[in-house]
Amino acid sequence: MISFIVSIIILIVAYFVYGNIIERIFGIEKDRETPAISQRDDVDYMPLPTWKVFLIQFLNIAGLGPIFGAIAGAMYGPSAFLWIVFGCIFGGAVHDYFSGMLSLRHNGLSISEVVGIYLGPYIKQFMRLFTVVLLIFVGTVFLVGPAKIIDGMTDSMLGIGVWVSIILVYYVLSTLLPIDKLISKLYPVFGAAMLFMALGLLLVLFVGDYQIPEVIPANLVNMKHNAENTPIFPMLFVTIACGAISGFHATQSPLMSRCIHNETEGKKVFFGAMITEGIVALIWAAAAMTFFGNVDGLNVEMAANGNNAAWAANEISLNMLGKFGGVLAVLGIVAAPITSGDTAFRSARLILADTFKYDQKSILKRLYISIPLFVIAFVLTKVDFAIIWRYFAWSNQTLAMIVLWAITAFLIYTKKAYLVTFIPAVFMTMVCSLYILIAPEGFQLNNTISYVLSVIVTIIISVFFLLYVKRNKPKSE
């Protein structure tokens, strides 16, 4: 329990201490007009209250990540606490803050365009395709997944197809309508529900007879039953993404960079939402490690239920929070993925609009871009692309890696303290290269060979990056 409490305290302190350091490094300008004001179109660009922007950002980046990812990561043991804490502070919060603020500085541009400014046109073209494909996959999975859950809860009264159609209609509306019409009204409610559920679990952990394992040397071992095939490094660092660092966040931050009315709000919205998500992930990881008795019990139950994190989350909610927990579980397990799916499509629309410089004031122009996205997503619901989805975890962290390199380039070009992102970028490069070399969905190479190759790949990419930024400068700051 002591390690768990200390972990939460560290995250809170980090917001005020390291958050202020990162804010100073970026160099906010209080009197600088934000895109919400200068580019206002009352569709995507419009100032919203800070508390509302924070809750929307939190739900955008959270979804099921800090719940399902934390439960799966808890199977490794207390090592998960360390990754959540330090990954969140030095990786995720920094990644989210800079990606959001750089978008804000560049008139609310999508992350692919921002990356292109600092890493060049070739990377920009790659990022445009990479992020749109990634977002379509996210939207599709979060279209089918909730439909299956609801269908199961209702004893297949209507059928999965009907629920897919209903959710798709909502996705169309949330993608096309001005952000203050639907998203800004629903998200604060769902965001507050997710936070309330996490706080409820936290209270039960404190007052109940639960023994949370401590972060001590004896516990910092791989506690998964198939430890040899799932080494902590890099598997844990990809399993827990949203609670530590996630590239998907960089696709969502531009949505809120278009709604912030002053640069001083950036730390609260971007850095603060990530720290909050880290705390939520800690709570769910702790609950998973204790509810089933211990980490070994968690592994046994997960194996018996097909490693289904949704099942575990539902069991934890219903038993630790009672009937009211069941209601919150529905909000968390059903509403959370839906609220990630809709903004995935909205982000894809904005990326394509930025790519083709297509104005989005007219709803017809929004339809021209959105219809193909939904047609593709609907077709994908008919295809079993589970194998393709297995690459999402790696793709997600690869996106975070690229964004970290782009932020580092910005810091170097502007003569700022670039080590705050250079070190995380190198680390995530190592994680991503090692994962694809060693993972079942990757090359499945021998562990020793994979580690050696990943070091070589990381060194090559790091050297190439330093040579690139030495020779090039962006067209605009």
Side-chain angles (χ1 to χ4, degrees):
M1 179 71 80
I2 294 175
S3 300
F4 174 63
I5 295 173
V6 170
S7 296
I8 292 178
I9 292 173
I10 290 174
L11 283 177
I12 295 172
V13 171
Y15 169 78
F16 294 101
V17 178
Y18 199 57
N20 287 344
I21 292 173
I22 295 301
E23 187 179 54
R24 284 198 297 271
I25 290 174
F26 177 78
I28 61 171
E29 299 175 17
K30 296 179 180 180
D31 298 325
R32 184 174 184 138
E33 200 171 49
T34 64
I37 298 170
S38 63
Q39 308 288 319
R40 181 165 185 167
D41 62 3
D42 289 327
V43 177
D44 300 305
Y45 292 88
M46 69 176 70
L48 295 175
T50 304
W51 67 270
K52 187 172 285 190
V53 176
F54 168 82
L55 284 174
I56 295 173
Q57 173 70 6
F58 169 69
L59 203 57
N60 276 353
I61 66 174
L64 291 175
I67 301 177
F68 290 6
I71 291 173
M75 296 169 70
Y76 288 86
S79 299
F81 290 151
L82 293 179
W83 171 231
I84 291 171
V85 171
F86 295 108
C88 180
I89 296 170
F90 299 107
V94 174
H95 167 277
D96 290 10
Y97 178 79
F98 277 111
S99 61
M101 294 303 288
L102 282 177
S103 172
L104 186 146
R105 281 284 174 90
H106 291 286
N107 294 323
L109 281 178
S110 302
I111 193 60
S112 55
E113 308 304 300
V114 173
V115 168
I117 291 173
Y118 297 104
L119 294 183
Y122 296 111
I123 296 295
K124 177 168 68 175
Q125 296 300 337
F126 168 78
M127 282 289 288
R128 285 170 169 171
L129 177 62
F130 185 70
T131 52
V132 169
V133 170
L134 194 68
L135 289 168
I136 290 176
F137 280 148
V138 171
T140 304
V141 168
F142 286 162
L143 175 61
V144 178
K148 289 181 177 179
I149 295 173
I150 298 173
D151 187 58
M153 290 177 173
T154 57
D155 295 324
S156 301
M157 287 177 58
L158 298 178
I160 294 175
V162 174
W163 288 113
V164 165
S165 300
I166 292 173
I167 296 172
L168 187 61
V169 169
Y170 166 74
Y171 280 2
V172 171
L173 293 174
S174 62
T175 301
L176 296 177
L177 292 176
I179 199 163
D180 66 330
K181 300 301 182 185
L182 195 58
I183 289 178
S184 73
K185 288 181 170 58
L186 290 179
Y187 272 46
V189 176
F190 292 140
M194 179 175 279
L195 287 175
F196 193 79
M197 178 165 57
L199 291 175
L201 287 174
L202 180 63
L203 180 62
V204 173
L205 286 172
F206 281 147
V207 301
D209 185 22
Y210 294 101
Q211 302 298 318
I212 302 174
E214 301 292 347
V215 180
I216 57 177
N219 286 337
L220 295 180
V221 295
N222 192 339
M223 295 185 177
K224 286 203 74 173
H225 288 179
N226 56 339
E228 291 184 3
N229 298 324
T230 55
I232 287 181
F233 188 80
M235 298 303 183
L236 174 63
F237 301 86
V238 175
T239 301
I240 300 179
C242 286
I245 180 172
S246 167
F248 176 70
H249 296 186
T251 68
Q252 301 303 292
S253 293
L255 295 179
M256 293 300 96
S257 74
R258 304 180 183 206
C259 299
I260 291 176
H261 58 79
N262 193 286
E263 287 194 0
T264 57
E265 306 303 317
K267 179 190 158 193
K268 299 173 187 174
V269 172
F270 301 122
F271 203 98
M274 184 62 228
I275 291 294
T276 304
E277 185 178 21
I279 294 173
V280 171
L282 274 176
I283 294 170
W284 276 98
M289 289 183 204
T290 58
F291 174 73
F292 298 101
N294 51 35
V295 177
D296 185 61
L298 168 64
N299 276 279
V300 169
E301 292 298 328
M302 286 290 281
N305 290 275
N307 289 316
N308 187 349
W311 168 84
N314 192 52
E315 287 294 306
I316 292 170
S317 299
L318 290 174
N319 287 279
M320 293 182 72
L321 297 177
K323 293 182 179 180
F324 185 57
V327 176
L328 292 176
V330 171
L331 289 174
I333 298 172
V334 177
I338 291 176
T339 53
S340 287
D342 61 2
T343 51
F345 284 117
R346 192 178 184 95
S347 297
R349 170 175 69 80
L350 294 176
I351 289 172
L352 291 173
D354 287 344
T355 298
F356 299 108
K357 295 179 173 53
Y358 206 54
D359 180 81
Q360 295 292 279
K361 289 182 180 180
S362 166
I363 193 168
L364 283 177
K365 291 183 177 180
R366 280 174 256 155
L367 274 170
Y368 293 152
I369 291 180
S370 301
I371 287 177
L373 295 175
F374 290 119
V375 169
I376 293 172
F378 185 76
V379 171
L380 287 175
T381 63
K382 307 299 180 181
V383 179
D384 181 8
F385 63 105
I387 295 177
I388 298 176
W389 182 247
R390 289 172 64 185
Y391 288 94
F392 170 74
W394 173 78
S395 302
N396 184 44
Q397 299 303 65
T398 299
L399 177 57
M401 175 197 75
I402 296 172
V403 172
L404 283 171
W405 283 121
I407 297 167
T408 305
F410 156 76
L411 294 174
I412 292 175
Y413 291 140
T414 53
K415 296 180 172 57
K416 300 179 187 292
Y418 68 90
L419 288 180
V420 296
T421 53
F422 178 79
I423 294 174
V426 170
F427 179 79
M428 291 307 298
T429 301
M430 180 79 172
V431 168
C432 295
S433 58
L434 179 57
Y435 183 87
I436 201 64
L437 290 170
I438 208 172
E441 57 268 28
F443 294 100
Q444 303 181 49
L445 298 180
N446 171 273
N447 285 14
T448 302
I449 294 174
S450 298
Y451 280 107
V452 172
L453 288 177
S454 65
V455 169
I456 294 173
V457 169
T458 301
I459 291 173
I460 291 173
I461 291 176
S462 301
V463 171
F464 179 80
F465 167 80
L466 292 173
L467 291 174
Y468 175 84
V469 295
K470 186 177 181 180
R471 293 195 310 264
N472 300 274
K473 286 191 175 182
K475 294 181 180 180
S476 61
E477 187 271 316

